[in-house]
Amino acid sequence: MATAKAERLLNLVIALVNSPRYRTAAWIREKVAGYGDAPTEEAFFRTFERDKQELRESGIPVQTDGADGYRIVAGELTLPELSFTPEETAALALAGRLWSTTALDRAGAGALRKIRDAGPGQQGAAEPDELAAADLLQPRVRTGDPAFEPLYAAVRARRAVQFGYRRDPGRPAATRTVEPYGLVSYHGRWYVIGHDRDRGERRTFRLSRITGPVNAVGRAGAVRVPPGVDLMAQVRASVRQAPDRSATVLVRPGRAVGLRRSAVASPEGDGSGAVELSAAAASGPVSDGNVPPGEWDRLSIPMSGLWSTAQRIAGHGPDVVVLEPADLRTAVIRLLQGARTGARVTGTESP
Amino acid sequence: MTRPSGRRPRRPAGSAPAAAAPTDGPAAGEVVDSGDAARPRDGRAGRTVVRETATERLTRLLALVPYVSRRPGVRVEELAAEFGVSARQIAGDLDLLMVCGLPGYYPDDLIDVVLDDDGGGTVSIAFDAGIERPVRLTGDEAIALTVALRALADLPGLVDDDAVRSALAKLEEHTGREALAAQDTPVVQVAAADPAPALGVVRDALSLGRRLWMRYYTASRDEMTERTVDPLRLLVTDGHSYLEAYCHVVGSIRHFRVDRIEDARVLVDEPAQPTLWADSDVPDKVFHPGPQSASVTLRLTHGARWVPEYYPVDSVEELGDSADAGSGSLRVRLQATGEAWLTRLVLSLGGDAVIEAPADLAAVVDERAAAALALYGGPAD
């Protein structure tokens, strides 16, 4: 059945693109293979209307003269002759293969093929530059999240969606109804940004936290994207907390290399930081004036979020000590105490 | 090889099933079979059969004609690979093309597909019924390409910046309203990776085929190391750029995150050794369990349930110790590259991650936490 329909559509495209003038519906019914079989005039028009609609939706420009005439202008149907420099060809080749495992993967490959076949000359063979670049450079954007395809379809159709969403891994999923504005891939993760109807606000959702199916609700075309919305900025703001203050920490020489990399105003290269020696014996709480014994480097590190900074520091155990601020020091102490409790629980439980 | 062999085409060799199938049979019809599993439509497991609509098929048919016209004698297998469908599907498509053409539908009006099984299953088109050029890009195609180009433009050093921008400009000028619409409302945007300062140097070493010296931060051991590597490829995946290279220090192929390369220099006088390289795919996980990896069992609660999302683990088990599904504890087994990395992870999680095995590693965590607490002057216990 689909074969018969594909055949009919192809015959219609060929007939109209080869016609020097507008053709009437009656002409199409009589001349184009696949339309003569319609038992009644009404059945023919139903089929013809649907076919025209589907052709237009898939980008084939069926024109009408406003009355009962139809045509396809070859120059509007097909790509003009395109020519690209070898460098542009290499960039296009990479772009066409950026997507992996998704509908966009096929679309990218299809676009690339069309552009190649719209180029000058008879040879469609890939240029050496293109091949070389393609081998050495492999950028990929994965879209393995099951929610990607239905959300992409909804965004394209400007249609609202409903899905289960688990905001916090420790809490049950809740149903969200969202008017999606667009999809953003940021640092290997996909996000959908849209108007959350229940909360009456613009929200960002991570695709990997969507549970169960994504269902389209309402009619297509219902979603209005506010002008000037910057999706990428929206995601950046929700994902990454800008550092708002800095912490002063002591680090054992040669340790916590990663932390040193993020230190502000540390000398380039060796990451040794501003070295400050202190042999003063510590008793009582550590502070700027009461540094624990031994050799320490003093670093200033930007804080993006209290707990994420505390976690980075606690991980280093006795190699890093917080001088200030006080809330960071308290947070690190709490994490270390928690790690001790956890470790002791193991001791009693393991066989 | 491309001789027209009369109106009745012969079949390509090795396509017996298609030869037996009528044009309307399922072989030629709407079901793209599981031979297409290499390109599943989505990530859902077990969904390999994809229903194809008539317009999707029409899109392929319209692309097939100019593709074959420009490459007379192209092999059926090549077409299958290019269009991402089975050879059987291509045979069905060619069957369909041969019965379509100009109104009148006399033999000379039909698309003339010349199949040559002597040439090993090659195809040519002797008459294209006016379908000589590729159709303009569809909305999806324009999005796929323009969004990807913009993503590449945001990775300075990876490809020639000017070339990306000029290619984008030409595309937007020539491909019509779909591409322009995609520009006005960018429904998809990609930041593939953070720009990494060393990207340009790495790219140079690759294209020159030279060795690369670098100072590299190894996060798993929290160390700065110096290495000489033979660059193989540059991968950009999951939010980071990676240099895939033969590392002379460890004596095998490794992936280096380009944003962790502190300093790099192309060794212009030292050509990189050609390495036999079979795998052309980007690896699924860029992770190498080293020889010093230990198998570790962790119990994760509350705030540590994200661990298996971030790190490759061998197994995950829900312990079901909460009434609310998905919020109890997890037991995960993983290969830890070095004791130091795991110790840091567990310490940072402040009790939400507990080492169940091995016990000596749990003791190390406890010792380090106690030593750190002692520095703060508080009671260690």
Side-chain angles (χ1 to χ4, degrees):
Chain A
M1 195 217 147
T3 296
K5 185 172 171 188
E7 186 178 328
R8 187 178 70 229
L9 290 172
L10 182 59
N11 277 321
L12 180 61
V13 171
I14 292 172
L16 292 182
V17 83
N18 282 286
S19 294
R21 57 182 174 277
Y22 289 102
R23 297 294 192 184
T24 63
W27 182 90
I28 288 163
R29 188 181 179 188
E30 191 195 327
K31 301 281 190 186
V32 179
Y35 289 100
D37 317 337
T40 64
E41 180 135 343
E42 201 199 325
F44 161 74
F45 272 107
R46 258 205 318 270
T47 306
F48 180 54
E49 282 304 316
R50 207 172 45 228
D51 286 357
K52 266 190 316 186
Q53 185 60 31
E54 287 186 18
L55 287 179
R56 284 177 183 145
E57 278 167 12
S58 55
I60 293 170
V62 182
Q63 290 183 356
T64 169
D65 61 1
D68 183 33
Y70 304 93
R71 69 169 183 183
I72 296 173
V73 178
E76 289 190 10
L77 174 71
T78 58
L79 277 174
E81 185 165 303
L82 298 172
S83 75
F84 293 98
T85 65
E87 293 79 22
E88 289 166 350
T89 308
L92 283 165
L94 275 182
R97 277 176 301 190
L98 184 73
W99 310 101
S100 110
T101 62
T102 169
L104 285 179
D105 164 28
R106 269 168 196 260
L112 211 53
R113 184 193 316 119
K114 284 180 177 178
I115 283 166
R116 244 185 353 238
D117 290 353
Q122 278 298 304
Q123 262 314 319
E127 285 150 57
D129 273 355
E130 176 189 335
L131 286 175
D135 259 7
L136 297 177
L137 305 178
Q138 301 269 351
R140 285 280 184 285
V141 172
R142 284 176 224 278
T143 51
D145 292 295
F148 181 84
E149 298 255 344
L151 284 172
Y152 175 73
V155 165
R156 293 274 287 132
R158 301 253 170 262
R159 211 169 165 197
V161 284
Q162 220 164 42
F163 51 79
Y165 190 70
R166 190 190 295 282
R167 190 159 170 246
D168 178 335
R171 290 219 303 260
T175 303
R176 312 291 280 261
T177 308
V178 176
E179 297 172 7
Y181 297 159
L183 289 152
V184 166
S185 171
Y186 182 73
H187 283 191
R189 295 198 180 83
W190 280 98
Y191 302 86
V192 61
I193 300 93
H195 177 79
D196 185 323
R197 277 188 187 165
D198 307 312
R199 281 150 187 82
E201 273 178 7
R202 191 178 300 169
R203 290 288 171 98
T204 300
F205 303 91
R206 201 158 118 188
L207 265 62
S208 62
R209 292 183 178 162
I210 291 176
T211 58
V214 174
N215 295 313
V217 292
R219 56 175 182 82
V223 175
R224 291 265 167 276
V225 182
V229 57
D230 185 344
L231 302 178
M232 187 60 83
Q234 191 89 19
V235 170
R236 263 198 208 106
S238 77
V239 171
R240 189 176 264 184
Q241 269 179 285
D244 46 1
R245 41 187 188 144
S246 62
T248 310
V249 298
L250 298 178
V251 181
R252 292 277 185 206
R255 311 310 298 263
V257 177
L259 203 62
R260 289 166 189 275
R261 290 183 79 229
S262 66
V264 282
S266 87
E268 276 291 308
D270 65 356
S272 63
V275 180
E276 200 166 275
L277 298 174
S278 167
S283 64
V286 63
S287 71
D288 226 354
N290 187 20
V291 172
E295 201 174 306
W296 296 95
D297 296 336
R298 186 195 185 95
L299 300 182
S300 177
I301 57 166
M303 281 178 69
S304 45
L306 175 67
W307 284 100
S308 62
T309 309
Q311 287 189 321
R312 288 186 67 194
I313 290 170
H316 292 286
D319 290 335
V320 181
V321 183
V322 180
L323 290 183
E324 56 178 23
D327 59 342
L328 180 64
R329 197 167 55 211
T330 310
V332 170
I333 290 171
R334 267 185 59 191
L335 286 174
L336 291 167
Q337 285 168 340
R340 285 221 71 191
T341 322
R344 228 183 285 114
V345 168
T346 322
T348 57
E349 274 188 357
S350 16
Chain B
M1 173 164 118
T2 60
R3 70 200 145 83
S5 49
R7 278 293 165 192
R8 260 340 291 167
R10 279 176 290 154
R11 295 258 163 210
S15 65
T23 317
D24 276 331
E30 56 188 303
V31 178
V32 177
D33 67 28
S34 54
D36 196 27
R39 282 169 173 254
R41 278 298 178 83
D42 61 24
R44 265 165 287 192
R47 206 183 141 196
T48 50
V49 175
V50 177
R51 292 237 142 210
E52 186 180 52
T53 67
T55 45
E56 282 171 334
R57 189 166 185 205
L58 177 71
T59 301
R60 188 174 58 245
L61 293 168
L62 287 172
L64 206 48
V65 177
Y67 188 89
V68 175
S69 294
R70 284 176 73 107
R71 298 165 185 79
V74 64
R75 296 167 53 84
V76 169
E77 286 74 18
E78 201 183 315
L79 292 173
E82 172 64 35
F83 287 86
V85 295
S86 64
R88 213 160 84 145
Q89 178 72 60
I90 292 291
D93 287 347
L94 296 174
D95 272 342
L96 195 149
L97 287 176
M98 288 185 283
V99 297
C100 292
L102 299 167
Y105 308 102
Y106 291 103
D108 282 347
D109 297 325
L110 300 177
I111 295 172
D112 190 3
V113 179
V114 185
L115 293 161
D116 188 345
D117 47 11
D118 296 335
T122 64
V123 190
S124 301
I125 285 180
F127 176 63
D128 62 20
I131 312 292
E132 53 194 320
R133 298 189 60 77
V135 173
R136 283 176 185 265
L137 302 189
T138 65
D140 285 347
E141 286 169 346
I143 287 173
L145 217 50
T146 53
V147 171
L149 279 171
R150 287 197 194 100
L152 293 179
D154 287 340
L155 285 172
L158 184 67
V159 279
D160 182 346
D161 237 35
D162 295 337
V164 174
R165 284 174 217 287
S166 60
L168 198 53
K170 281 186 191 175
L171 262 189
E172 282 167 353
E173 184 190 333
H174 290 296
T175 53
R177 57 192 188 287
E178 264 79 22
L180 290 172
Q183 182 192 32
D184 288 347
T185 51
V187 293
V188 180
Q189 286 181 50
V190 171
D194 263 347
L199 207 52
V201 180
V202 169
R203 174 79 169 83
D204 286 347
L206 265 172
S207 49
L208 295 169
R210 289 295 181 276
R211 276 196 182 146
L212 186 75
W213 169 88
M214 62 185 186
R215 266 167 51 77
Y216 183 73
Y217 171 64
T218 307
S220 61
R221 293 199 306 274
D222 195 28
E223 276 175 10
M224 201 64 76
T225 54
E226 286 190 23
R227 310 160 185 252
T228 303
V229 300
D230 287 348
L232 295 168
R233 292 187 302 177
L234 197 53
L235 316 174
V236 181
T237 185
D238 296 332
H240 298 291
S241 320
Y242 296 90
L243 166 64
E244 182 175 74
Y246 180 85
C247 174
H248 291 274
V249 174
V250 293
S252 70
I253 289 165
R254 283 285 183 273
H255 294 97
F256 301 98
R257 253 176 69 172
V258 181
D259 63 330
R260 290 182 179 156
I261 299 177
E262 286 274 316
D263 194 10
R265 213 168 49 232
V266 180
L267 303 177
V268 279
D269 298 327
E270 295 184 43
Q273 268 169 13
T275 308
L276 283 178
W277 186 245
D279 185 6
S280 67
D281 260 346
V282 177
D284 238 21
K285 283 282 178 192
V286 185
F287 174 72
H288 299 275
Q292 1 159 295
S293 300
S295 180
V296 176
T297 308
L298 293 179
R299 199 179 67 234
L300 308 171
T301 51
H302 314 296
R305 282 180 59 101
W306 54 267
V307 167
E309 281 180 38
Y310 273 67
Y311 301 109
V313 296
D314 296 335
S315 69
V316 182
E317 183 190 343
E318 284 275 359
L319 295 180
D321 50 3
S322 163
D324 175 24
S327 67
S329 305
L330 296 178
R331 176 173 290 137
V332 301
R333 288 188 178 80
L334 54 90
Q335 304 291 318
T337 328
E339 199 174 86
W341 172 80
L342 194 84
T343 308
R344 265 188 291 137
L345 177 71
V346 175
L347 278 171
S348 73
L349 291 169
D352 282 348
V354 169
I355 300 173
E356 293 192 328
D360 55 341
L361 204 52
V364 169
V365 168
D366 190 47
E367 272 162 35
R368 286 185 68 78
L373 286 167
L375 289 172
Y376 286 100
D381 277 288

CSV table of all heavy atoms in Angstrom, one decimal, chain B residues 14-54:
chain,number,residue,atom,x,y,z
B,14,GLY,N,23.2,-11.6,-6.2
B,14,GLY,CA,23.2,-11.7,-4.7
B,14,GLY,C,22.0,-11.0,-4.2
B,14,GLY,O,22.0,-10.7,-3.0
B,15,SER,N,21.0,-10.7,-5.0
B,15,SER,CA,19.8,-10.1,-4.4
B,15,SER,C,18.6,-11.1,-4.7
B,15,SER,O,17.5,-10.6,-5.0
B,15,SER,CB,19.5,-8.8,-4.9
B,15,SER,OG,19.3,-8.8,-6.3
B,16,ALA,N,18.8,-12.3,-4.5
B,16,ALA,CA,17.8,-13.3,-4.8
B,16,ALA,C,16.5,-13.1,-4.1
B,16,ALA,O,15.4,-13.1,-4.7
B,16,ALA,CB,18.3,-14.7,-4.5
B,17,PRO,N,16.5,-12.7,-2.8
B,17,PRO,CA,15.2,-12.5,-2.2
B,17,PRO,C,14.4,-11.4,-2.8
B,17,PRO,O,13.2,-11.5,-3.0
B,17,PRO,CB,15.6,-12.1,-0.7
B,17,PRO,CG,17.0,-12.6,-0.5
B,17,PRO,CD,17.6,-12.5,-1.9
B,18,ALA,N,15.1,-10.3,-3.2
B,18,ALA,CA,14.4,-9.2,-3.9
B,18,ALA,C,13.9,-9.7,-5.2
B,18,ALA,O,12.8,-9.3,-5.6
B,18,ALA,CB,15.3,-8.0,-4.0
B,19,ALA,N,14.7,-10.5,-5.9
B,19,ALA,CA,14.2,-10.9,-7.2
B,19,ALA,C,13.0,-11.7,-7.2
B,19,ALA,O,12.1,-11.7,-8.1
B,19,ALA,CB,15.4,-11.8,-7.9
B,20,ALA,N,12.8,-12.5,-6.1
B,20,ALA,CA,11.6,-13.3,-5.9
B,20,ALA,C,10.4,-12.5,-5.5
B,20,ALA,O,9.3,-12.9,-5.6
B,20,ALA,CB,11.9,-14.4,-5.0
B,21,ALA,N,10.7,-11.4,-4.8
B,21,ALA,CA,9.6,-10.6,-4.2
B,21,ALA,C,8.9,-9.8,-5.2
B,21,ALA,O,9.5,-9.1,-6.0
B,21,ALA,CB,10.1,-9.8,-3.1
B,22,PRO,N,7.6,-9.7,-5.2
B,22,PRO,CA,6.8,-8.8,-6.1
B,22,PRO,C,7.0,-7.4,-5.6
B,22,PRO,O,7.4,-7.2,-4.4
B,22,PRO,CB,5.4,-9.3,-6.0
B,22,PRO,CG,5.3,-9.9,-4.6
B,22,PRO,CD,6.7,-10.5,-4.4
B,23,THR,N,6.8,-6.5,-6.5
B,23,THR,CA,7.0,-5.1,-6.1
B,23,THR,C,6.2,-4.6,-4.9
B,23,THR,O,6.7,-3.8,-4.1
B,23,THR,CB,6.6,-4.2,-7.3
B,23,THR,OG1,7.1,-4.8,-8.5
B,23,THR,CG2,7.2,-2.8,-7.2
B,24,ASP,N,5.1,-5.2,-4.7
B,24,ASP,CA,4.2,-4.8,-3.6
B,24,ASP,C,4.5,-5.6,-2.3
B,24,ASP,O,3.9,-5.4,-1.3
B,24,ASP,CB,2.8,-5.0,-4.0
B,24,ASP,CG,2.3,-3.7,-4.7
B,24,ASP,OD1,2.9,-2.7,-4.5
B,24,ASP,OD2,1.4,-3.9,-5.6
B,25,GLY,N,5.4,-6.6,-2.4
B,25,GLY,CA,5.7,-7.5,-1.3
B,25,GLY,C,6.4,-6.7,-0.2
B,25,GLY,O,6.8,-5.6,-0.4
B,26,PRO,N,6.4,-7.3,1.0
B,26,PRO,CA,7.0,-6.6,2.1
B,26,PRO,C,8.5,-6.3,1.8
B,26,PRO,O,9.0,-5.3,2.4
B,26,PRO,CB,6.9,-7.6,3.2
B,26,PRO,CG,6.5,-8.9,2.6
B,26,PRO,CD,5.9,-8.6,1.3
B,27,ALA,N,9.2,-7.1,1.0
B,27,ALA,CA,10.6,-6.8,0.8
B,27,ALA,C,10.8,-5.4,0.1
B,27,ALA,O,11.8,-4.7,0.4
B,27,ALA,CB,11.2,-7.9,-0.2
B,28,ALA,N,9.9,-5.1,-0.7
B,28,ALA,CA,10.0,-3.8,-1.4
B,28,ALA,C,9.2,-2.7,-0.7
B,28,ALA,O,9.3,-1.6,-1.1
B,28,ALA,CB,9.6,-3.9,-2.9
B,29,GLY,N,8.5,-3.1,0.3
B,29,GLY,CA,7.5,-2.2,0.8
B,29,GLY,C,8.0,-1.3,1.9
B,29,GLY,O,9.1,-0.8,2.0
B,30,GLU,N,7.1,-1.2,2.9
B,30,GLU,CA,7.3,-0.1,3.9
B,30,GLU,C,8.1,-0.5,5.1
B,30,GLU,O,8.5,0.4,5.9
B,30,GLU,CB,5.9,0.3,4.3
B,30,GLU,CG,5.1,-0.8,4.9
B,30,GLU,CD,3.7,-0.4,5.2
B,30,GLU,OE1,3.5,0.6,5.9
B,30,GLU,OE2,2.8,-1.0,4.6
B,31,VAL,N,8.4,-1.7,5.3
B,31,VAL,CA,9.1,-2.1,6.5
B,31,VAL,C,10.6,-2.1,6.2
B,31,VAL,O,11.1,-2.9,5.4
B,31,VAL,CB,8.6,-3.5,7.0
B,31,VAL,CG1,9.4,-3.8,8.3
B,31,VAL,CG2,7.2,-3.4,7.3
B,32,VAL,N,11.3,-1.3,6.9
B,32,VAL,CA,12.8,-1.3,6.8
B,32,VAL,C,13.2,-2.4,7.8
B,32,VAL,O,12.9,-2.3,9.0
B,32,VAL,CB,13.4,0.0,7.2
B,32,VAL,CG1,14.9,-0.1,7.2
B,32,VAL,CG2,12.9,1.1,6.3
B,33,ASP,N,13.8,-3.5,7.3
B,33,ASP,CA,14.0,-4.6,8.2
B,33,ASP,C,15.1,-4.4,9.2
B,33,ASP,O,15.8,-3.4,9.2
B,33,ASP,CB,14.2,-5.9,7.4
B,33,ASP,CG,15.5,-5.9,6.6
B,33,ASP,OD1,16.4,-5.2,7.0
B,33,ASP,OD2,15.5,-6.5,5.6
B,34,SER,N,15.3,-5.4,10.0
B,34,SER,CA,16.3,-5.3,11.1
B,34,SER,C,17.7,-5.3,10.6
B,34,SER,O,18.7,-5.0,11.3
B,34,SER,CB,16.1,-6.3,12.1
B,34,SER,OG,16.2,-7.6,11.5
B,35,GLY,N,17.9,-5.5,9.3
B,35,GLY,CA,19.3,-5.3,8.7
B,35,GLY,C,19.7,-3.8,8.9
B,35,GLY,O,20.8,-3.5,8.7
B,36,ASP,N,18.7,-3.0,9.2
B,36,ASP,CA,19.0,-1.6,9.4
B,36,ASP,C,19.3,-1.3,10.9
B,36,ASP,O,19.4,-0.1,11.2
B,36,ASP,CB,17.7,-0.9,9.0
B,36,ASP,CG,17.9,0.6,8.8
B,36,ASP,OD1,19.0,1.0,8.4
B,36,ASP,OD2,17.0,1.4,9.0
B,37,ALA,N,19.5,-2.3,11.6
B,37,ALA,CA,19.7,-2.1,13.1
B,37,ALA,C,20.9,-1.3,13.4
B,37,ALA,O,21.0,-0.7,14.5
B,37,ALA,CB,19.8,-3.4,13.8
B,38,ALA,N,21.8,-1.2,12.5
B,38,ALA,CA,23.0,-0.4,12.8
B,38,ALA,C,22.7,1.1,13.0
B,38,ALA,O,23.4,1.9,13.6
B,38,ALA,CB,24.0,-0.5,11.6
B,39,ARG,N,21.5,1.5,12.4
B,39,ARG,CA,21.1,2.9,12.6
B,39,ARG,C,19.7,2.9,13.2
B,39,ARG,O,18.8,3.3,12.6
B,39,ARG,CB,21.0,3.6,11.2
B,39,ARG,CG,22.4,4.0,10.7
B,39,ARG,CD,22.1,4.4,9.2
B,39,ARG,NE,23.4,4.9,8.6
B,39,ARG,CZ,23.5,6.2,8.4
B,39,ARG,NH1,22.6,7.0,8.7
B,39,ARG,NH2,24.7,6.6,7.9
B,40,PRO,N,19.6,2.5,14.4
B,40,PRO,CA,18.3,2.5,15.0
B,40,PRO,C,17.7,4.0,15.1
B,40,PRO,O,18.5,4.9,15.2
B,40,PRO,CB,18.5,1.9,16.4
B,40,PRO,CG,19.9,2.1,16.7
B,40,PRO,CD,20.6,2.2,15.4
B,41,ARG,N,16.4,4.1,15.1
B,41,ARG,CA,15.8,5.4,15.1
B,41,ARG,C,15.9,6.1,16.5
B,41,ARG,O,15.9,7.2,16.7
B,41,ARG,CB,14.4,5.3,14.8
B,41,ARG,CG,14.1,5.3,13.3
B,41,ARG,CD,14.6,6.6,12.7
B,41,ARG,NE,14.4,6.5,11.2
B,41,ARG,CZ,13.2,6.8,10.6
B,41,ARG,NH1,12.2,7.1,11.3
B,41,ARG,NH2,13.1,6.7,9.3
B,42,ASP,N,16.0,5.3,17.5
B,42,ASP,CA,16.2,5.9,18.8
B,42,ASP,C,16.9,4.9,19.7
B,42,ASP,O,17.3,3.8,19.3
B,42,ASP,CB,14.8,6.2,19.4
B,42,ASP,CG,13.9,5.0,19.6
B,42,ASP,OD1,14.4,3.9,19.7
B,42,ASP,OD2,12.7,5.2,19.6
B,43,GLY,N,17.0,5.3,21.0
B,43,GLY,CA,17.8,4.5,21.9
B,43,GLY,C,17.1,3.4,22.6
B,43,GLY,O,17.6,2.7,23.4
B,44,ARG,N,15.8,3.3,22.3
B,44,ARG,CA,15.0,2.3,23.0
B,44,ARG,C,15.4,0.9,22.6
B,44,ARG,O,15.5,0.6,21.4
B,44,ARG,CB,13.5,2.5,22.8
B,44,ARG,CG,12.9,3.3,23.9
B,44,ARG,CD,11.6,3.8,23.5
B,44,ARG,NE,11.7,4.9,22.4
B,44,ARG,CZ,10.7,5.6,22.1
B,44,ARG,NH1,9.5,5.4,22.6
B,44,ARG,NH2,10.8,6.5,21.2
B,45,ALA,N,15.7,0.1,23.6
B,45,ALA,CA,16.2,-1.3,23.3
B,45,ALA,C,15.1,-2.1,22.6
B,45,ALA,O,13.9,-1.9,22.9
B,45,ALA,CB,16.5,-2.0,24.6
B,46,GLY,N,15.5,-2.9,21.7
B,46,GLY,CA,14.6,-3.8,21.1
B,46,GLY,C,13.7,-3.2,20.0
B,46,GLY,O,12.9,-3.9,19.4
B,47,ARG,N,13.9,-1.9,19.7
B,47,ARG,CA,13.1,-1.3,18.7
B,47,ARG,C,14.0,-1.2,17.4
B,47,ARG,O,14.6,-0.2,17.2
B,47,ARG,CB,12.6,0.0,19.1
B,47,ARG,CG,11.3,0.4,18.4
B,47,ARG,CD,10.8,1.7,18.7
B,47,ARG,NE,10.3,2.3,17.5
B,47,ARG,CZ,10.1,3.6,17.5
B,47,ARG,NH1,10.3,4.4,18.5
B,47,ARG,NH2,9.6,4.1,16.3
B,48,THR,N,14.0,-2.3,16.6
B,48,THR,CA,14.8,-2.2,15.4
B,48,THR,C,14.0,-2.1,14.2
B,48,THR,O,14.5,-1.8,13.1
B,48,THR,CB,15.7,-3.4,15.3
B,48,THR,OG1,14.9,-4.6,15.5
B,48,THR,CG2,16.8,-3.4,16.4
B,49,VAL,N,12.7,-2.5,14.2
B,49,VAL,CA,11.9,-2.4,13.1
B,49,VAL,C,11.2,-1.0,13.0
B,49,VAL,O,10.6,-0.5,13.9
B,49,VAL,CB,10.8,-3.5,13.1
B,49,VAL,CG1,9.9,-3.3,11.9
B,49,VAL,CG2,11.4,-4.8,13.1
B,50,VAL,N,11.5,-0.3,11.9
B,50,VAL,CA,11.0,1.0,11.7
B,50,VAL,C,10.0,1.1,10.6
B,50,VAL,O,10.3,0.7,9.5
B,50,VAL,CB,12.2,2.0,11.4
B,50,VAL,CG1,11.7,3.4,11.2
B,50,VAL,CG2,13.2,1.9,12.6
B,51,ARG,N,8.9,1.7,10.9
B,51,ARG,CA,7.9,1.9,9.8
B,51,ARG,C,8.3,3.1,9.0
B,51,ARG,O,8.6,4.1,9.6
B,51,ARG,CB,6.5,2.0,10.4
B,51,ARG,CG,6.0,0.8,11.0
B,51,ARG,CD,4.7,0.4,10.4
B,51,ARG,NE,4.6,-1.1,10.3
B,51,ARG,CZ,3.9,-1.7,9.4
B,51,ARG,NH1,3.3,-1.0,8.5
B,51,ARG,NH2,3.9,-3.0,9.3
B,52,GLU,N,8.2,3.0,7.7
B,52,GLU,CA,8.6,4.1,6.9
B,52,GLU,C,7.4,4.6,6.2
B,52,GLU,O,6.6,3.9,5.7
B,52,GLU,CB,9.6,3.6,5.9
B,52,GLU,CG,10.2,4.8,5.0
B,52,GLU,CD,11.2,4.2,4.0
B,52,GLU,OE1,10.9,3.3,3.3
B,52,GLU,OE2,12.3,4.8,4.0
B,53,THR,N,7.2,6.0,6.2
B,53,THR,CA,6.0,6.5,5.5
B,53,THR,C,6.3,6.7,4.0
B,53,THR,O,7.5,6.6,3.6
B,53,THR,CB,5.7,7.9,6.1
B,53,THR,OG1,6.7,8.8,5.7
B,53,THR,CG2,5.5,7.9,7.6
B,54,ALA,N,5.2,6.8,3.3
B,54,ALA,CA,5.4,7.0,1.8
B,54,ALA,C,6.2,8.2,1.5
B,54,ALA,O,7.0,8.2,0.5
B,54,ALA,CB,4.0,7.1,1.2
